Amino acid sequence: MLNFKEIASVTLILFAVIDILGSIPIIIDLRKREGRIESEKATIVSGILMIVFLFVGDGILQLFGIDFQSFAMAGAIIIFLIGLEMILGKDFFHTDPDIKSGSIVPLAFPLIVGAGTMTTLLSLRAAYALPNVLIGIIINLVFVYLVLKASGWLERKLGKAGANILRKVFGIILLAIAIKLFKSNLPL
């Protein structure tokens, strides 16, 4: 049941969608404004949100009478737009930068687990085995935790140019993933 290729794919997809490295400037600003980032709390809440949505997302779709292929296609479009956002440097999805709160809002939600992550999780569940998706989530949570803990150090090492390059590379990967998800959910 465990497939390392699937785990690697899920991990990379979630890594690109969550874009924790691209969020470092926001994390640093939040840390300056709030005094500190509660890395453990943000990571745990993000994990709970992702896992709960992974399991109840289908129920929510059924409640509204939406089939999974339609949702997966919508997810592919959102992933595509996020990829364009990363490559072009334009904001299609706006967040309120003036929210005065801690590590839960806006860090865990919507920065780490936003609409793109939720949509991606349901799309991944359609394309990959559930245990592989769960392992991919856990790997990403570990990485999120490490980035949150090391955000100051990362800021010094990457610099603006390095963070921008990473963002563009993951944007291209997201575009390719979106096209793959779109093709795999087309009705035959």
Side-chain angles (χ1 to χ4, degrees):
M1 181 71 95
L2 290 182
N3 180 324
F4 292 108
K5 185 178 177 185
E6 281 193 10
I7 291 169
S9 293
V10 168
T11 301
L12 288 174
I13 291 167
L14 284 174
F15 180 77
V17 172
I18 292 170
D19 187 28
I20 196 69
L21 294 178
S23 299
I24 288 174
I26 298 166
I27 294 166
I28 291 166
D29 289 342
L30 184 62
R31 189 183 71 223
K32 287 177 186 173
R33 191 172 64 225
E34 297 293 323
R36 72 182 197 107
I37 297 287
E38 296 179 74
S39 305
E40 297 84 6
K41 184 186 240 182
T43 304
I44 290 169
V45 169
S46 297
I48 290 168
L49 287 171
M50 284 192 268
I51 291 169
V52 166
F53 195 79
L54 182 68
F55 286 102
V56 301
D58 283 335
I60 293 170
L61 291 180
Q62 290 174 2
L63 180 67
F64 291 107
I66 301 170
D67 65 278
F68 191 80
Q69 282 72 27
S70 298
F71 195 80
M73 296 271 273
I77 292 169
I78 289 173
I79 294 169
F80 187 84
L81 290 173
I82 292 170
L84 281 178
E85 197 176 63
M86 293 168 72
I87 292 169
L88 300 175
K90 301 289 181 189
D91 288 332
F92 299 125
F93 303 100
H94 299 285
T95 57
D96 187 356
D98 297 325
I99 294 175
K100 303 281 188 203
S101 64
S103 298
I104 305 297
V105 177
L107 189 53
F109 179 81
L111 191 61
I112 297 169
V113 184
T117 303
M118 289 181 191
T119 305
T120 301
L121 285 170
L122 291 182
S123 299
L124 290 172
R125 186 161 182 192
Y128 300 101
L130 186 59
N132 299 326
V133 176
L134 288 169
I135 291 170
I137 288 171
I138 292 167
I139 292 169
N140 271 278
L141 289 171
V142 168
F143 192 73
V144 163
Y145 175 77
L146 293 174
V147 169
L148 292 175
K149 275 294 197 194
S151 59
W153 180 82
L154 287 169
E155 176 188 26
R156 291 187 300 275
K157 292 296 179 189
L158 281 177
K160 287 188 180 198
N164 194 34
I165 290 169
L166 280 177
R167 189 171 176 86
K168 304 263 187 231
V169 167
F170 281 103
I172 292 169
I173 291 170
L174 272 184
L175 290 176
I177 290 165
I179 291 168
K180 178 184 176 197
L181 285 171
F182 191 79
K183 285 178 13 183
S184 68
N185 285 291
L186 281 173
L188 297 176

